[in-house]
Amino acid sequence: MTVQSDSPHWSPAAALPESDSMELVRLEGVSKLYPIQRSVFSQRRVYVHALDAVHLAIRRGETLGLVGESGCGKTTLGKIVVGLEKPSAGRVLLEGQDLSQLESGEMRKVRRKMQMIFQDPYSALNPRHTVRSIIMEPLIIHRVGSRAERLERVKQLMDEVGLRPEYEDRYPHEFSGGQRQRIGIARALALNPSLIVADEPVSALDVSIRSQVLNLLEDLQSKYNLTYLFISHDLSVVEHIADRVAVMYLGKICELGANEDIYSTPLHPYTEALLSAVPAPDPTATKHRIILEGDVPSPVSPPAGCRFHPRCPIRIPLCGMEDPPLVRVRPEHWVACHVRAPQ
């Protein structure tokens, strides 16, 4: 149903367990609408539903994988978590603090705890700055240390990510894609953050380089007790690095669970379809591929009821009428499906 008023309607929110001491970040009913105007003669506004009532918790020290098709809202969610975008509704809590209630000075301090690694390492780096300037910039902005201490910190970070110290005077175009992503990782680490949002950090890299960068991220997480929100459309990469996995479809979380639960016993039909498309490492192994009917609905006019029901092979009439909430089916496994988790 297309929204055609200035007061958007939000679908019912799903419940999550009460907050606990292990949570670093908590999203409560986070929605994001982008208003668009179809015609200069039209007074009505329609909205792109990027996110709709997302509830999610990220625990300290874990890697939460966020997967889904392109355009489902993964990157928007990541930007909202680190404060690059503001939610249209709902709130984001970091260590119990509601980020929307913070003054600019308080928010500046909080930003030191959250950093982002972007998908394209070349466009994410200033081509006119040297490696030294790029890594040092966060330290200068937040007035951390003296110049001598900043220079020492740059050398330390370059060593941490596997870059030679003599490279500090070089520019981004002089590096390979993998090396540029290491520069981006070093910059993200500069302020000793608690949370790093990694948005498709290896999708632009050669296959031979991906494992090196993934292993680097795991080593850094172990050393500094980092928390990752790892966004990717590559389920084989997420299986390797994530502790828990959230599956997103058209702006909503449809399944959430521990890595082994999602990959061994997926419950949502969309998750099953995604996993069936992952290439098998054994070329002789037979694998049943689930082919979904139709196209992904437009986020401007998402379908009523379950967002996935027009393409779902197991849909029932209720799916087109009511939006299913996330329901716990195992201690660490949640699913939003009227068929697989009936009320």
Side-chain angles (χ1 to χ4, degrees), residues 61-317:
E62 79 165 345
T63 298
L64 176 64
L66 183 62
V67 302
E69 294 170 289
S70 296
C72 71
K74 304 187 301 294
T75 296
T76 299
L77 188 145
K79 289 181 177 180
I80 286 176
V81 168
V82 298
L84 293 179
E85 294 272 5
K86 293 184 178 180
S88 303
R91 60 180 190 159
V92 179
L93 292 87
L94 176 69
E95 297 178 327
Q97 284 186 302
D98 185 351
L99 301 186
S100 65
Q101 301 300 317
L102 299 180
E103 301 291 338
S104 58
E106 295 173 315
M107 189 62 193
R108 185 184 181 90
K109 295 178 182 178
V110 169
R111 286 188 186 279
R112 295 177 57 173
K113 301 178 182 180
M114 306 179 293
Q115 295 295 318
M116 194 164 186
I117 300 171
F118 296 92
Q119 178 176 358
D120 183 357
Y122 187 70
S123 62
L125 304 176
N126 191 325
R128 295 185 176 87
H129 285 191
T130 63
V131 172
R132 183 196 302 113
S133 300
I134 290 170
I135 299 176
M136 193 188 296
E137 188 174 18
L139 301 173
I140 295 172
I141 291 173
H142 290 273
R143 301 175 182 175
V144 176
S146 64
R147 176 169 174 77
E149 290 170 334
R150 292 168 186 166
L151 290 172
E152 184 60 31
R153 177 65 171 157
V154 169
K155 294 182 184 296
Q156 176 195 352
L157 289 167
M158 291 183 66
D159 181 64
E160 291 276 12
V161 301
L163 293 171
R164 298 168 66 91
E166 57 266 29
Y167 291 171
E168 65 178 7
D169 289 319
R170 294 188 181 182
Y171 292 86
H173 72 271
E174 300 180 81
F175 294 92
S176 66
Q179 288 174 319
R180 285 196 286 265
Q181 195 60 288
R182 289 173 187 267
I183 297 169
I185 293 171
R187 179 178 60 184
L189 289 173
L191 296 170
N192 292 316
S194 303
L195 171 72
I196 291 181
V197 175
D199 183 15
E200 302 271 11
V202 298
S203 64
L205 306 180
D206 294 338
V207 174
S208 59
I209 305 299
R210 291 183 182 182
S211 60
Q212 298 178 23
V213 174
L214 290 174
N215 290 336
L216 172 62
L217 290 172
E218 288 185 315
D219 291 343
L220 293 170
Q221 181 179 39
S222 177
K223 184 173 183 178
Y224 294 108
N225 193 31
L226 296 169
T227 301
Y228 291 146
L229 174 60
F230 191 94
I231 300 170
S232 180
H233 65 273
D234 190 332
L235 275 77
S236 59
V237 169
V238 172
E239 182 180 17
H240 171 75
I241 197 170
D243 300 303
R244 290 190 303 142
V245 180
V247 183
M248 178 171 279
Y249 182 82
L250 208 63
K252 297 185 74 70
I253 301 294
C254 61
E255 189 163 3
L256 170 67
N259 186 307
E260 56 272 18
D261 287 339
I262 296 294
Y263 283 89
S264 63
T265 54
L267 294 176
H268 200 282
Y270 177 61
T271 309
E272 292 177 335
L274 287 179
L275 291 173
S276 75
V278 177
D282 182 1
T284 62
T286 57
K287 191 173 184 179
H288 174 61
R289 175 72 188 275
I290 300 174
I291 306 297
L292 297 176
E293 301 175 356
D295 298 321
V296 179
S298 169
V300 175
S301 55
C306 175
R307 296 282 173 90
F308 185 62
H309 89 267
R311 307 173 70 195
C312 183
I314 62 169
R315 62 183 178 267
I316 59 176

